[in-house]
Every structure is written in structure tokens, then in C-alpha cells.
Amino acid sequence: MRYCQGTKCHTYDTKDRKKGSKDNKRNETRKRTNFYYGNNNFCSLQCQTDWFNTYGDNAINHFGRVEQPIVLTEDNAWQTVWNRAHWDDNTQPEYIERNQITKAERPCQQPQQGR
Ligand SMILES: [Zn+2]
């Protein structure tokens, strides 16, 4: 089990956040096995946004703010893409690599079929 990392999670008034009884009633941060947002860290997009509003600038500055464009050039532009030719001729490989700058294509290792 893990807690939602949202900085205001406990302030959203829902039944599942309510804990305690009578003299120690309180709302608590959500705790679950899995969360669907923010790489399994947040119970909702709102909680993810709350976290970013609180810590986002510090996090970006800590890990390195982008101060100039990140550049895609011919050398790092190869991406594995679906091979259109396979549609008409299934002896052709399912995937090829295409250079996103030059549009050149080349054969590549086929991804493992997960079956
Ligand atoms: Zn939350």
C-alpha cells in the first residue's frame, strides 16, 4: 500500500478519506495499492496538479531546467515504426526504423511478440 503524494489529498472531502469516529474524526490522504496517475503516485489528476503547484518549480530546478532547445538531429532520430508494407505483404517485417529527420528507412530487430 502507498499513499497518494498529493499535497491537498486530505482536504478533498470524500467518504473514503474519512477516518476515526466521534472525538477523533478526520480526513486522511488516500492509501491504495495502485494509483492511475503520475507514474503510480497520485490518486487523481487534481492531486498531481496540486503536487506540481507546490513542488514543480523546485523539482525542475533540482533536476535541471531546460534552458535551450533539446535537438533531434539525423543521428538520434531513428524510431521504430509500423511497416506499412507489411499490410500488403505479410512476408515483410512488421516494424522498420524510420529516421524522423531524413525519412530514411532501415530494417530493425522485430519487437518480441507478447503472446
Ligand atoms: Zn490524492
Side-chain angles (χ1 to χ4, degrees):
M1 297 287 263
R2 54 202 299 159
Y3 289 101
C4 171
Q5 297 301 299
T7 48
K8 295 182 181 174
C9 191
H10 60 292
T11 69
Y12 299 115
D13 197 33
T14 60
K15 205 170 180 182
D16 69 305
R17 289 178 171 97
K18 293 191 181 304
K19 305 287 176 188
S21 56
K22 287 188 179 167
D23 18 352
N24 71 338
K25 279 190 177 176
R26 60 199 189 276
N27 284 14
E28 291 185 2
T29 296
R30 274 184 172 147
K31 185 167 92 174
R32 289 186 186 159
T33 310
N34 285 300
F35 292 118
Y36 295 113
Y37 302 95
N39 203 19
N40 203 16
N41 284 302
F42 301 99
C43 75
S44 68
L45 270 183
Q46 183 62 59
C47 280
Q48 180 178 304
T49 299
D50 290 340
W51 186 94
F52 194 87
N53 288 341
T54 306
Y55 298 120
D57 281 339
N58 282 343
I60 288 171
N61 289 332
H62 177 79
F63 293 109
R65 182 170 292 273
V66 174
E67 304 274 15
Q68 52 193 333
I70 302 168
V71 180
L72 190 69
T73 63
E74 192 175 334
D75 294 335
N76 61 358
W78 290 99
Q79 292 178 9
T80 301
V81 296
W82 168 255
N83 184 14
R84 182 68 182 76
H86 178 82
W87 188 264
D88 300 319
D89 175 2
N90 67 9
T91 64
Q92 297 294 312
E94 280 186 81
Y95 294 92
I96 53 171
E97 283 185 339
R98 181 179 298 130
N99 192 294
Q100 302 301 312
I101 299 296
T102 65
K103 303 303 175 194
E105 294 181 350
R106 68 185 184 191
C108 67
Q109 199 171 3
Q110 299 302 295
Q112 293 286 3
Q113 301 298 313
R115 288 172 214 144

